[in-house]
Amino acid sequence: MCTLPEAVAQNVSRVRQSTSAQIMAVVKADGYGHGAVAVAEAAVAAGATWLGVTDVAEGRALRAAGLAVPILSWLNPGGIDAVAAALDRIDVALGSVDELRALIADAVAPVRVHLHLDTGMARGGCPLADWPELLRLARAARGRVEVVGVMGHLPRADEADPAANAAAVLRMRHGRDAVLRAGFGPVLVHLAATSGALTDPATHFDLVRVGAGLVGIDPSLTTVLTGAARFTAAVVHSAFVPAGTAVGYGGAHVTDRATHLAVLGVGYADGIPRELARDAGVELDGGRHPVVGRVSMDQIVIDTGATAVPRGAVATVFGPEGGAVPSVQDWARWAGTIPHTIVTGIGPRVERGIA
Ligand SMILES: *Cc1c(COP(=O)(O)O)cnc(C)c1O
């Protein structure tokens, strides 16, 4: 069994096998629910040379924790704190003329910026038509902004088919060439996230931004990575019930035989998806036991059959080891979602620790 730092290190080296570009460890959404500082420290120790977040405040928290590598913040939904960005050396990505204007108005010391081109997603990034205006404005604002990077994002890299990325790669080259022609110095060019990093070298440019892959999620489904989290829950109540017993809200499950039930003290407030397929289960004592009845806010019921499980026994909801232990990917399948929503959905009252 491996610890979070070991799992992240294995995943970074797996990405390293696929690319010679620099690796940015993306630790947004609290490191995909795993703890941003813990994942960042492990990734940097394993060779990541950049960190990525979606808000300057997240970047500042990493600086406060002692992380010294360059940090990029894109999105910045609450606006960019230009003073904080300059002070803590947080690079910011800008995807519109408007955003650049606002930054220029606020900047008192030079802020390092990455110009974000829409490479085909229509979900952020500057449209190609506005790119010349963005460059013109950035040139005029030299001294207050320093253009150090150009970024795009791939809409279809999880298809693991380079043909699906070709249009974005062309746009990226076009955008980069325009930046260089406009007289900006060397810029760091970056387009790929985990899927592109693992499946399409044409997308790598100077740096790949890897988030999901760090914690063991490969959206391209091409590569075996190591899960970085284990989610356990204690049995808080158990009972032996006769056949015909209705379980949970609505009596959605009725036992078909006399059986032992165990209640785990985790529910949808803790990230157990309420929309679960019938084959969902957890590991307890080396066996897989089904979740029965509806998921409640604070608890789920599992059917342990002939086995009486004492209060205090600990079940594994998910973990990396396989066998009877479900994976994050199993939970995603049972809930009809992607693994990302499982790990980022773990609720705040679930106690976190680094094993
Ligand atoms: C979240 C995000 C990433 C990381 O994507 P993964 O697929 O999790 O590796 C990279 N770039 C941008 C712009 C993102 O928003």
Side-chain angles (χ1 to χ4, degrees), residues 214-290:
L214 296 178
V215 297
I217 297 169
D218 169 20
S220 74
L221 305 178
T222 61
T223 308
V224 178
L225 298 172
T226 307
R230 166 177 294 95
F231 183 7
T232 60
V235 172
V236 293
H237 176 82
S238 58
F240 184 70
V241 299
T245 300
V247 180
Y249 285 120
H253 175 80
V254 178
T255 57
D256 60 2
R257 67 208 188 304
T259 191
H260 288 91
L261 299 179
V263 179
L264 300 181
V266 288
Y268 55 78
D270 307 296
I272 304 290
R274 194 170 175 282
E275 312 73 13
L276 275 188
R278 293 207 158 267
D279 51 344
V282 302
E283 182 273 344
L284 223 172
D285 264 345
R288 177 76 64 84
H289 303 286

Side-chain angles (χ1 to χ4, degrees), residues 26 28 32 54 74 116 123 151-153 191-195 209-213 219 340:
V26 177
K28 62 190 183 185
Y32 293 56
T54 54
W74 58 87
H116 181 182
R123 190 215 66 177
M151 85 181 261
H153 197 40
L191 174 65
T194 297
S195 291
R209 303 183 306 263
V210 178
H340 311 56

